[in-house]
């Protein structure tokens, strides 16, 4: 138990210790670890000698404006640092030296925690892929022949991944209305995608695939991702080379990276896979994560009137067909390397039940069943002023709960 | 005329001055400019005071292991630096101070010139898109309805863009032979794509599209790109999210960035566009580049026997339907920003005539018309040991020729 005073419902307890990057009140920016409502500045902690017994930690491990340098050090250093942090934050003898280094989290402005090299977005929910197949290709088999053979994915734009809280300007793009000329216009189908992202810590070598069961030698931790999508722009552009401008305007991620080490108690078997995956995609131990996810939506009116946000989707990440280990094995199966700070996201997490779908196009079946909001309005897709908040946590009980915090964004009108 | 002795056929004359990054014999790595068979180390030149009158050039402009810092400074600084370099390398009064800073290029090992943020690959040759459409979708219209409306493109993997000379290990991937189960195997259809890449210098702001005619405020220069492609891996994976592992194993680029300023005399009108592009894709001045491109192929046997490489494709870049200005306007039309060091490539450059196609799948029509090599072997796709060299230049006469050098790679067996 930590000597730091923890709020009863804290999702950032001593078993979590997620990493982030914060801008402090004085303008400095650096790596922090969250504990309850506080954060520990890691460069300050290192200067104070708190990591002196973590032998492999270089002096500049937490230098720079992102976590990339620390992440590159690899799993042995991550674990030694985590063990030392738990020691420092639980043993009361460390309290006098450590307490002055803690800052209230409300005084910090969270930044993107890593400089992202490449961003890959998968498509690994059976239910989501089936739903999208039905909506986009109504005449064919909703699942294409490759879907159960490989974790289908594509590269997204790393430079437009932003931290939670960044406004989302309604994008414009080329849109083809039915029976009309295509034209450049603001999207009329702005959507969300509820995803979980994996952040690469230790890189790999060009030409050398990563074995699926070695994923935890490379993945540092997980974040929540909202893969904002303009369905009308996407529909016009996506054949034959896949999504581009319908996705690349902005992708939001939560600021706290929850480490795989913290998530270990919540690793569970995934759903059965039929046909059995090829050998390079097979794992000998479980890789799914029992992670509850929620999507909340509020209109500008609701927020002005103090109406609580509406929970529009609830789903568990363990329902994903392809695991993060299989995704990483696939991503590197052709010899492609990964680098510290690379991000790959799960694809929209949608479950089998109504209300468990992670996108509006599924929840409203392309507007045929609009969502009803408490302010009396309805939604097929997002309206200007809407705020979307995605949350995630493992474990039910307060104290043992490993929370992800949230990823949020407010829609601003097109410019 | 430069006081540096230039070989008669040099493609790196005083009108060119391409930028690169070299590892020197002593292990140091830094920015250089090519002049004839020599290169000028830019950090050394700056320390020697040669840029003292370029007011806006900060002291650390050429620090670091890539050109990103200099590129970020923007077009006014690029032009002032270029003017000063021309002055220094032509006025004999600068010879005593400058000559000691020149090194023979043969002593340098060229590196990737920029740290690439995002890499986008377009698909902007009408002839290539038509050919690929016929090959991949024989039953439909070869050009999809979006193709003449927007420069279709997708994101590739920035972390596997490598400098010319890096070996290309034959990738493995999931391949579905006709009438058989898909299986993970080395590609049997390793191909090339002849492309021209644009390197972003000055970045842009999230939410603010770049006007097409402002492309030269952001693009620093051009390089040659070989977008190696595994056609069998690509064929199985590419629907519905586009190419992924069939492309991401490696992409090669030439080490010298030829600046837009050097290319200005060779800017010409592109082909007519029908229908007229939407307003955001319109330009008021020409943006095509009269740039000759060649692809050479040699087998290991040919090189061992001293047989010259076979020229298998010859085409001019000015045949591209969409220009680099339209590509940049499209890339940012949804508000996506670009960053210094971003790369976007043209897509395969294929002309209308036989022998002008920039990929083997087109040149051999998927193997139906194999290439005949001087060593008596034939090629549908690449064999292990094959070397591909792509070259490019503007202007015919020696002295006035603006060359790109080349991008080369040798195929190594699958591991």
């Amino acid at each position: 138990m930590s000597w730091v005073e923890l709020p009863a419902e804290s999702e950032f307890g001593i078993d979590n210790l997620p990493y982030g990057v914060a801008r402090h009140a004085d303008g400095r920016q650096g790596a922090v670890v969250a504990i309850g409502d506080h954060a520990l500045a890691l460069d300050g902690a290192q200067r104070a000698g708190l990591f002196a017994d973590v032998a492999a930690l270089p002096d500049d491990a937490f230098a720079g404006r992102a976590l990339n340098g620390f992440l590159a050090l690899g799993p042995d250093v991550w674990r030694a640092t985590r063990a030392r942090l738990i020691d420092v934050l639980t043993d009361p003898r460390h309290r006098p030296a450590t307490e002055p280094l803690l800052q209230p989290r409300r005084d910090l402005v969270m930044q993107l925690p890593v400089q992202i090299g490449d961003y890959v977005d998968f498509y690994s929910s059976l239910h989501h892929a089936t739903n999208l197949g039905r909506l986009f290709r109504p005449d064919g088999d909703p699942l294409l022949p490759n879907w159960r053979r490989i974790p289908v994915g594509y590269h997204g734009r790393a430079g437009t991944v932003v931290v939670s809280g960044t406004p989302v300007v309604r994008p414009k793009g080329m849109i083809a209305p039915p029976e009309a000329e295509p034209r450049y216009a603001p999207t009329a189908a702005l959507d969300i995608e509820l995803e979980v992202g994996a952040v690469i810590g230790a890189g790999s070598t060009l030409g050398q695939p990563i074995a699926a069961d070695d994923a935890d030698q490379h993945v540092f931790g997980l974040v929540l991702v909202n893969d904002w999508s303009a369905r009308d722009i996407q529909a016009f552009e996506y054949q034959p080379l896949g999504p581009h401008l319908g996705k690349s305007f902005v992708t939001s991620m939560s600021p706290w990276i929850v480490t795989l080490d913290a998530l270990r108690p919540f690793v569970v078997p995934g759903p059965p896979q039929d046909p059995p995956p090829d050998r390079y995609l097979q794992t000998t131990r479980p890789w799914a994560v029992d992670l509850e996810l929620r999507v909340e939506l509020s209109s500008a009116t609701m927020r002005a009137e103090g109406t609580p946000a509406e929970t529009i989707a609830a789903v568990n990440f363990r329902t994903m067909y392809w695991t993060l280990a299989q995704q990483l094995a696939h991503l590197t199966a052709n010899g492609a390397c990964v680098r510290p700070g690379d991000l790959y996201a799960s694809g929209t997490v949608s479950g089998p039940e109504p209300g468990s779908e992670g996108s509006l196009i599924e929840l409203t079946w392309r507007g045929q069943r609009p969502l009803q909001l408490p302010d009396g309005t309805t939604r097929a897709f997002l309206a200007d002023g809407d705020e979307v908040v995605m949350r995630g946590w493992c474990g039910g009980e307060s104290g043992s709960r490993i929370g992800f915090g949230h990823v949020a964004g407010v829609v601003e009108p097109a410019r």
Side-chain angles (χ1 to χ4, degrees), chain A residues 81-95:
Chain A
T81 305
R82 176 176 171 80
R84 177 64 181 166
L85 280 169
I86 291 173
D87 185 37
V88 160
L89 293 168
T90 49
D91 186 336
R93 286 174 298 179
H94 291 295
R95 185 168 181 167

Side-chain angles (χ1 to χ4, degrees), chain A residues 82-154:
Chain A
R82 176 176 171 80
R84 177 64 181 166
L85 280 169
I86 291 173
D87 185 37
V88 160
L89 293 168
T90 49
D91 186 336
R93 286 174 298 179
H94 291 295
R95 185 168 181 167
T98 311
E99 199 156 30
L101 301 167
L102 292 176
Q103 295 178 54
R105 288 201 284 116
R106 64 167 180 274
D107 294 346
L108 305 177
V109 181
M110 298 307 295
Q111 310 293 311
L112 208 59
V114 285
Q115 186 185 338
I116 299 171
D118 276 297
Y119 164 46
V120 168
D121 193 21
F122 285 97
Y123 188 58
S124 291
S125 157
L126 176 67
H127 312 292
H128 173 72
T130 305
N131 288 336
L132 271 274
R134 284 193 188 123
L135 285 162
F136 275 87
R137 297 178 302 277
D139 301 329
D141 192 338
L143 278 192
L144 292 173
N146 55 20
W147 198 90
R148 286 173 178 271
R149 300 287 185 167
I150 55 174
V152 172
Y154 69 101

Side-chain angles (χ1 to χ4, degrees), chain A residues 276-354:
Chain A
D278 193 280
R279 208 151 62 99
Y280 82 96
L281 292 169
Q282 288 175 15
T283 49
T284 62
R285 53 197 170 99
W287 280 100
V289 183
D290 183 6
L291 163 56
E292 280 294 325
L293 298 166
R294 298 290 182 274
V295 182
E296 299 170 2
L297 175 60
S298 64
S299 66
T301 306
M302 287 168 64
R303 295 196 305 286
E305 292 175 348
T307 310
E310 189 85 344
T311 297
I312 61 171
V315 62
N316 194 297
F317 184 51
R318 67 186 294 174
T319 58
M320 298 299 278
Y321 189 87
W322 296 104
T323 66
L324 64 94
Q326 293 175 315
Q327 289 165 341
L328 184 60
H330 186 63
L331 181 49
T332 61
N334 64 351
C337 52
V338 291
R339 296 177 292 175
D342 280 358
L343 174 69
Y344 64 95
S346 60
T348 308
V349 186
S350 292
E353 309 87 15

Side-chain angles (χ1 to χ4, degrees), chain A residues 49-411:
Chain A
L50 292 183
F51 299 129
D53 67 345
V54 183
L57 200 67
D59 288 344
D60 61 352
F62 301 112
R65 298 166 67 85
L67 283 164
N68 294 55
F70 175 64
L71 267 53
L73 298 171
D76 293 344
V77 176
W78 309 336
R79 269 160 222 158
T81 305
R82 176 176 171 80
R84 177 64 181 166
L85 280 169
I86 291 173
D87 185 37
V88 160
L89 293 168
T90 49
D91 186 336
R93 286 174 298 179
H94 291 295
R95 185 168 181 167
T98 311
E99 199 156 30
L101 301 167
L102 292 176
Q103 295 178 54
R105 288 201 284 116
R106 64 167 180 274
D107 294 346
L108 305 177
V109 181
M110 298 307 295
Q111 310 293 311
L112 208 59
V114 285
Q115 186 185 338
I116 299 171
D118 276 297
Y119 164 46
V120 168
D121 193 21
F122 285 97
Y123 188 58
S124 291
S125 157
L126 176 67
H127 312 292
H128 173 72
T130 305
N131 288 336
L132 271 274
R134 284 193 188 123
L135 285 162
F136 275 87
R137 297 178 302 277
D139 301 329
D141 192 338
L143 278 192
L144 292 173
N146 55 20
W147 198 90
R148 286 173 178 271
R149 300 287 185 167
I150 55 174
V152 172
Y154 69 101
H155 282 86
R157 189 162 187 82
T160 51
V161 178
V162 300
V163 72
S164 174
T166 307
V168 177
V169 177
R170 179 178 297 274
K172 296 186 196 175
M174 196 67 95
I175 293 164
E179 317 294 323
E181 288 280 286
R183 64 195 187 89
Y184 179 62
T187 177
L190 184 59
D191 201 353
I192 56 170
E193 292 196 341
L194 167 66
E195 307 199 13
V196 175
V199 177
I200 293 291
S204 67
T205 305
L206 187 66
Q208 296 184 6
I210 296 173
D213 273 324
D214 286 345
D216 53 3
Q217 302 299 303
H218 296 275
V219 174
F220 177 70
L222 304 186
V223 293
L224 305 176
V225 172
N226 186 349
D227 176 29
W228 306 87
S229 300
R231 300 298 179 192
D232 39 11
I233 299 172
Q234 185 184 352
F236 185 66
E237 75 182 355
Y238 90 106
Q239 283 185 332
L241 299 187
H244 186 196
L245 296 180
K247 301 277 196 172
S248 67
F249 52 100
V250 82
T251 306
S252 303
M253 75 182 250
S254 56
W256 295 105
I257 306 178
V258 178
T259 66
L260 277 200
D261 287 322
L263 294 170
R264 211 160 293 273
F266 305 97
V267 171
V268 293
Q273 297 182 315
D274 181 28
D278 193 280
R279 208 151 62 99
Y280 82 96
L281 292 169
Q282 288 175 15
T283 49
T284 62
R285 53 197 170 99
W287 280 100
V289 183
D290 183 6
L291 163 56
E292 280 294 325
L293 298 166
R294 298 290 182 274
V295 182
E296 299 170 2
L297 175 60
S298 64
S299 66
T301 306
M302 287 168 64
R303 295 196 305 286
E305 292 175 348
T307 310
E310 189 85 344
T311 297
I312 61 171
V315 62
N316 194 297
F317 184 51
R318 67 186 294 174
T319 58
M320 298 299 278
Y321 189 87
W322 296 104
T323 66
L324 64 94
Q326 293 175 315
Q327 289 165 341
L328 184 60
H330 186 63
L331 181 49
T332 61
N334 64 351
C337 52
V338 291
R339 296 177 292 175
D342 280 358
L343 174 69
Y344 64 95
S346 60
T348 308
V349 186
S350 292
E353 309 87 15
S356 70
E357 302 95 337
S359 70
L360 290 173
I361 195 171
E362 294 169 86
L363 286 165
T364 72
W365 209 251
R366 209 179 224 152
Q368 291 175 34
R369 304 188 296 255
L371 292 178
Q372 202 75 42
L373 293 186
D375 66 1
T377 60
T378 61
R379 290 291 180 280
F381 293 103
L382 294 173
D384 291 345
D386 283 355
E387 180 175 43
V388 177
V389 179
M390 296 173 174
R391 302 182 191 277
W393 65 87
C394 297
E397 299 308 309
S398 61
S400 71
R401 176 176 280 197
I402 303 285
F404 279 71
H406 65 266
V407 55
V410 173
V411 178

